[in-house]
Amino acid sequence: MDDEDIEKAVLAYLRKKGLKLTELSLQEEQNRLSTDASHSRSQNVADSYFDGYSRLRSWAYNSLDSYKHELLRVLYPVFIHCFMDLVAQGYMQEARTFFHTFREDHELMHLRDLQKLEGILSPSHLEEMELARFSRQNKVKIRLCEYSYGLLLQFIHKTKSFDMLGVINQHINFEVTPGQPTSISDDSEAVSLIGASQDLAREINQKELHWGLLEDSVEERMEKTLSDLDKTEVEGNKEGDPEENNKVKKTDGNKQGTSVSNKKKKDKAVGATGKSTRSETSMVSVAPRVKSELTLPQLPPEVELSILEDLRNRAQLNSLALPSVSFYTFLHTHNGLNCSAISHDGSLVAGGFSDSSVKVWDMAKIGQPGRASNSQGENGSMQGMHSLASDETKRPYSLLQGHSGPVYSVSFSPFADFLLSSSSDNTIRLWSTRLNANLVCYKGHNFPVWDAQFSPVGHYFATASHDRTARVWSMERIQPLRVMAGHLSDVDCVQWHPNCNYIVTGSSDKTVRLWDVQSGECARLFIGHRSMVLSLAISPDGRFMASGDEDGTIIMWDLSTGRSVSPIMGHNSCVWTLAFSCEGTLLASGSADCMVKLWDVTSSMKALKTDESKSGPTSRLRLLKALPTKSTPVYNLRFSRRNLLFAAGALSAGS
Amino acid sequence: MSIVPKETIEVIAQSIGIPNLSPDVALALAPDVEYRLREIIQEAIKCMRHSKRTVLTADDMDSALNLRNIEPIYGFASGDPLKFKRAIGHKDLFYLDDREVDFKEVIDAPLPKAPLDTAVVTHWLAIEGVQPAIPENPPIEAIVAPQDGKKMDHGKDDSLPVDLKLPIKHVLSRELQLYFDKIGELILLRPETALFKEALLSLAKDSGLHPLVPYFSYFIADEVSRNLSNLSILFALMRVLKSLLSNPHIHIEPYLHQMMPSIITCLVAKRVGEQVSDNHWAIRNFAAKLVSSICRRYGHVYHNLQSRLTRTLIHAFLDPSKALTQHYGAIRGLSALGPSVVRLLILPNLETYMQLLDPEMQLDKQKNELKRKEAWRVYGSLLLAAGSCLYDRLRLFPGLLSPPDIQPWKTNKKIALTHLPNNKRKASSTLNSHQPPTKKLAVDPTGANSQFPSTDGPATSSSCGSNPNHHHSHNSSNNNSSSAGNITNTNTNINNATGSGALAQRMAGSAVLRQAWKEDMDAGHLLSSLHSLFGEGVFSFIQPADMHLFI
């Protein structure tokens, strides 16, 4: 080097001349200069890594949904190699700040690796640590589809982030596949080093989950009274004959007991029917009980009575006894029907239309009043509805207007006195079915609200939106109580867990998440769908969840472990809706291929319980029955409390 | 690099007023354009899914643009699916056929019908897991076939995701095509030949004709509407229909709804045949027979078939503005549907209808002989309908024919008493209108005839001697008709005379009939008594054995 030669020559010259002071000052100055340069250089290098990475990151997060998961996969190797590059070049301080700034992104997925890498404090550590050495020496293989690869290259060239290009070239091997992007589930093994998002799922799914049912629910109380009754009966029979006095006492005691609650008395009256139902309903009671973390609204006594009545009259369903299906067909919708909802007793049917209107039909009043509403109706909702149609002489339905954009979902409250609708105008509206009027307009989402669902106890509701969040609201507040953020794309559907402590959301990022309502944290992440998740249902015992997607796949999940139980190609087209029967023995699915299908849940779940040790799909849902409709896609399914299945859909003449 | 060629960018640039865009810029813009397009399409697909559709519409694109805060593209939100046409000479270039619309045309065009309002109907998709065979549910065999088709479609989708779905072609073998053409030719050109009869036989017996059924049903519907004036073709078409219906290998239910309109047209059309002299009555009768056979065979499958049919026919029957020929067809059709239909729908309206028909049948009121003839035809069909209904009732209560012999007084008296005011009123109203024409016809029977209601009333009201009186009325009516026949052997034929003789009795009879069915209890007794009021015209509907019993 010329500079060094000159320096050496100058120094030699100074020594020769004996100019010691000059020599010292020169050396001093040289030292100062060199540290300065190194400092400024280090600043530059760190900044460029920092900028390059953060730009790549924000770009990847904002890319197209279908390619996003592939591009996100690139981020982690780039991150750790940027970090290690900085360390290797000796910029320890910068490396640490870099690491801590972006650590969060990967914490969920690669926490252990990050903890290890955190310990790297000097270039020598890179050599020592096995993980670091391994990853420096080996290239990561990432499979990308042609278009995402193109996008990535284009981005790097456009932004001229050559540091990133260097890192990528040095450490990542792209395996470019033609055609569509691979789905998430495929690539879990493909990414050797990182283990992809499966790790994240594993991490999240370690969390504790109380999937049991609520304590002190109506069902449980009924169960208890029944078993009490049974016990006393049995005891009475045992001891009855030899000691008559005793028996009298017992029955006296029994009477006292019954007089305490009128419910008990009622149960006794129908003890005969109750006994037969008990064997089935006890399946529900097997589930552990949990305390509610939300304050739950009180049930009005008459509603409770009607529920008890329904429970007693419930038809038992299993693989041999299939339900009756009553189908509500919407005619002349002119392709405008976006969603529908059916009240628990089938007496009210609501439709949300693309012309911003919501229409509610009272089935007791039109056409065939004898059908479903007779067997199911005459509950709390019916009394209120009389005032509703008195002013509606012309139209057979009540028209609810208020939204200013297509209505994407409607949901009845558990006792059908309220109706919730969500729309592309970013709002959710609460309607009273008794007054036929809008009560509240909830604003909070920034983009169209795709789904809104009342909780099983009413009062609370959850919404899902294009703004990638799900929110939990209570009826009395116009601001959301919780905002669940975490999905990487639109949240398309939402459903409540029967114990109201959790909600599940399905998203366009092809995952399903379970959120703790109290903490607002993600408690489970379910990966396995290959396309947008459209429908969700949770079994009444709270342990299993079914999810349906765009391709027609239905996956059963075990909430406690977070594992998928049985993926099946259930339909040829979008699965719009799923519903469990009241005892959880049957699953009904409705699809755009104009079919209602009934699946046997019990047999497949039993198989699961026997060989629980095995991982992966151990069994499949068994198809019990496929019920085709006459060119009517099935939009909505609902089991009544008596296990009658209601289905709704719009007749599509065109298809 | 990008699927958007830079030429496209250049063209777009020119269209918005940038004449010379440098190729570099175009090249740089192309990937971004592609990215934006994909972005919009992705959002549009989300909107489509949330509208629960599987077909992307222009509205979805608009909502997607709205989501991105971009002004939507106007002019595509017609609601109809867009129809793309293939550009000639280019394999994969499509364009929208966007015709220029003349304002005047649009303004002058009649307003389109208001679209029907949304409605909800319910049905049972399944009862305890079993699908009931109702029209709301798809037919059973239709289930199997489409599934295969869908699977095939699905497979196709997988391999070629951007491939356009072509309309499914229904493949007909050449033999079947030839067969179809031949039959069509026979029907239209040589319906009288022996060959055609052979063809009918083949249609009724051959298996493997099922693929042709939709074509035949379309052909028949088409030709019926075109050849209403050509009786022979109409007859041939109806015969073909009959053969098809009788073919045991053809599953014709799904096509019934297409065939029924043409049959009904033949039945109740205002004018069938070219000239008035044509025997259009025969084709109406034939069509009525077809209708009845269809109802008998498919009535239980198509539960609303009969009710719809009846509604159409009764509508034609009760509309006084319709021509008599149409009334005739409607009556024939209704009576072909069975006696209970007649009893429930025709008989209650008989009285009022008679008042309408009456002037048409009379020589002095209706000068047009043709019209009068038509009226008599209608009258004859009514008589037939009422008679067969009566016959049916009698057959239903065979044991009830004897009781009147044992205790005829009581029942007869009762009827007579209950209907006395009715009879009287009618007698007064009808007599006035009847006397002049009947007088003209024949003086002698008219007297007996006109006396009949008035004498019958008082006679039965006095508690004794109703039976002889009864028989007398028989005789008188018998005499009446025969003598009338003798006297008037002009072109007002026998039918005419019998009818006129029985007319007044029928009027009374109809009232009695109505009342009789109101009192279900002793329906049989009443029937036996009232059919005595009917006259000879009715006797032909009673089996000889019964008749013997009765007389």
Side-chain angles (χ1 to χ4, degrees), chain B residues 63-79:
Chain B
S63 344
L65 291 169
N66 270 329
L67 269 182
R68 294 272 158 218
N69 254 336
I70 305 167
E71 200 169 344
I73 303 164
Y74 299 105
F76 288 102
S78 63

Side-chain angles (χ1 to χ4, degrees), chain B residues 24-311:
Chain B
D24 289 346
V25 173
L27 216 53
L29 273 175
D32 192 54
V33 168
E34 186 189 342
Y35 184 85
R36 297 296 150 205
L37 275 177
R38 282 173 184 270
E39 193 177 19
I40 297 295
I41 292 168
Q42 171 188 301
E43 300 305 319
I45 287 173
K46 278 178 194 163
C47 292
M48 170 186 83
R49 290 295 181 221
H50 286 286
S51 302
K52 301 262 195 304
R53 269 183 279 109
T54 45
V55 180
L56 198 68
T57 63
D59 287 337
D60 293 325
M61 295 308 269
D62 283 351
S63 344
L65 291 169
N66 270 329
L67 269 182
R68 294 272 158 218
N69 254 336
I70 305 167
E71 200 169 344
I73 303 164
Y74 299 105
F76 288 102
S78 63
D80 296 329
L82 301 174
K83 286 194 184 92
F84 287 93
K85 284 191 170 177
R86 199 188 285 263
I88 300 158
H90 297 270
K91 210 176 167 193
D92 43 5
L93 183 60
F94 294 87
Y95 68 98
L96 270 180
D97 191 19
D98 204 3
R99 281 182 298 118
E100 273 182 33
V101 181
D102 191 4
F103 255 130
K104 214 177 157 223
E105 242 172 62
V106 175
I107 292 165
D108 290 345
L111 283 176
K113 266 189 192 167
L116 289 167
D117 202 359
T118 315
V120 175
V121 293
T122 57
H123 72 270
W124 288 110
L125 184 66
I127 295 170
E128 291 179 354
V130 181
Q131 274 197 298
I134 48 174
E136 286 90 344
N137 287 329
I140 313 291
E141 51 272 65
I143 299 162
V144 190
Q147 263 184 344
D148 297 340
K150 266 178 201 162
K151 254 174 217 164
M152 275 167 62
D153 280 358
H154 204 71
K156 226 193 269 168
D157 283 353
D158 281 349
S159 55
L160 289 167
V162 278
D163 198 13
L164 277 165
K165 267 188 201 163
L166 295 168
I168 297 159
K169 271 183 197 152
H170 191 170
V171 183
L172 270 185
S173 71
R174 174 154 303 176
E175 289 84 351
L176 281 177
Q177 285 181 33
L178 270 176
Y179 183 86
F180 179 74
D181 291 344
K182 198 81 189 163
I183 297 269
E185 189 190 313
L186 275 176
I187 293 170
L188 295 180
L189 302 178
R190 288 176 289 163
E192 317 294 347
T193 55
L195 193 60
F196 179 64
K197 276 181 192 131
E198 286 298 312
L200 285 180
L201 213 62
S202 142
L203 280 172
K205 290 211 173 128
D206 280 359
S207 57
L209 292 181
H210 199 263
L212 283 178
V213 176
Y215 296 91
F216 271 124
S217 71
Y218 180 77
F219 177 80
I220 290 169
D222 202 37
E223 291 300 327
V224 163
S225 59
R226 201 181 303 162
N227 289 310
L228 264 182
S229 57
N230 192 332
L231 262 184
S232 63
I233 287 183
L234 278 184
F235 242 114
L237 287 168
M238 287 297 114
R239 289 218 172 93
V240 167
L241 245 181
K242 193 182 172 205
S243 301
L244 284 175
L245 281 167
S246 59
N247 191 326
H249 306 287
I250 292 179
H251 181 73
I252 211 159
E253 275 116 310
Y255 307 99
L256 272 184
H257 67 277
Q258 288 177 335
M259 297 180 165
M260 285 317 281
S262 26
I263 303 178
I264 300 210
T265 308
C266 286
L267 188 61
V268 295
K270 194 172 179 188
R271 281 198 60 180
V272 179
E274 213 160 67
Q275 299 147 10
V276 278
S277 59
D278 276 349
N279 188 10
H280 59 93
W281 310 106
I283 190 140
R284 289 181 202 275
N285 291 346
F286 191 83
K289 250 183 245 164
L290 264 181
V291 164
S292 81
S293 74
I294 288 174
C295 276
R296 236 176 294 132
R297 255 181 77 184
Y298 303 104
H300 61 285
V301 187
Y302 254 115
H303 76 274
N304 60 351
L305 175 75
Q306 190 153 356
S307 58
R308 269 162 61 189
L309 197 64
T310 329
R311 218 177 303 133

